[in-house]
């Protein structure tokens, strides 16, 4: 158990295997988001790189299949990982998620593969 909440990056397929199909990417994002509540319920704060990267792309007039996406999606995850305490790696082939895991391990961050591996946060007493 831990006293302080961790910021946990949820990593898994987003564009992988979609061949640029917006509905398939939306379904992948929905799968990533399904893990948000279970992470939150352990007492931690979930974050998904696309939550930050997609608005950046939109503000540049681009989307996840535009060439600019390569300059935004992976760098956003890398910059975000500088603030994260752990990664939850969801199943599925994903070069980006594999890169997130490699970065996390390089930085000495724990990588979980199942929600049950995440230590529950000890609730703090209110003053």
């Amino acid at each position: 158990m831990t006293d302080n909440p961790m910021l946990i990056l949820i990593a898994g397929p987003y564009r992988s295997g979609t061949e640029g199909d917006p509905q398939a990417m939306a379904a992948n994002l929905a799968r990533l988001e399904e893990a948000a509540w279970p992470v939150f319920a352990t007492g931690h704060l979930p974050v998904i790189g696309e939550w930050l990267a997609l608005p950046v792309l939109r503000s540049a007039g681009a989307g996840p299949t535009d060439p600019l996406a390569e300059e935004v999606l992976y760098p956003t995850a890398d910059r975000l990982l500088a603030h994260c305490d752990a990664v939850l790696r969801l199943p599925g082939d994903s070069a980006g998620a594999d890169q997130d895991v490699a970065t996390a391990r390089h930085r000495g961050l724990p990588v979980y593969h199942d929600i049950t591996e995440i230590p529950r946060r000890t609730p703090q007493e209110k003053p």
Side-chain angles (χ1 to χ4, degrees):
M1 287 198 257
T2 180
D3 289 338
N4 295 320
M6 292 188 289
L7 182 62
I8 300 178
L9 177 70
I10 300 170
Y14 172 62
R15 294 185 305 171
S16 299
T18 66
E19 297 181 19
D21 176 21
Q23 289 181 328
M25 286 187 282
N28 280 346
L29 183 56
R31 278 191 286 283
L32 291 169
E33 290 176 343
E34 286 173 7
W37 171 250
V39 169
F40 189 82
T42 65
H44 303 292
L45 187 62
V47 66
I48 297 171
E50 285 76 13
W51 287 346
L52 302 171
L54 293 176
V56 170
L57 280 171
R58 281 193 297 273
S59 72
T65 60
D66 290 309
L68 183 61
E70 295 301 317
E71 297 176 40
V72 174
L73 290 173
Y74 295 144
T76 296
D78 185 63
R79 293 175 192 183
L80 181 57
L81 275 165
H83 302 278
C84 289
D85 302 297
V87 170
L88 173 61
R89 174 59 163 100
L90 300 183
D93 292 338
S94 171
D98 291 344
Q99 187 174 327
D100 294 342
V101 167
T103 299
R105 287 190 172 137
H106 176 76
R107 293 179 179 169
L109 303 177
V111 176
Y112 306 112
H113 291 89
D114 190 274
I115 194 74
T116 61
E117 298 173 350
I118 298 173
R120 293 194 67 80
R121 183 171 166 250
T122 305
Q124 296 288 323
E125 288 188 26
K126 295 182 182 177

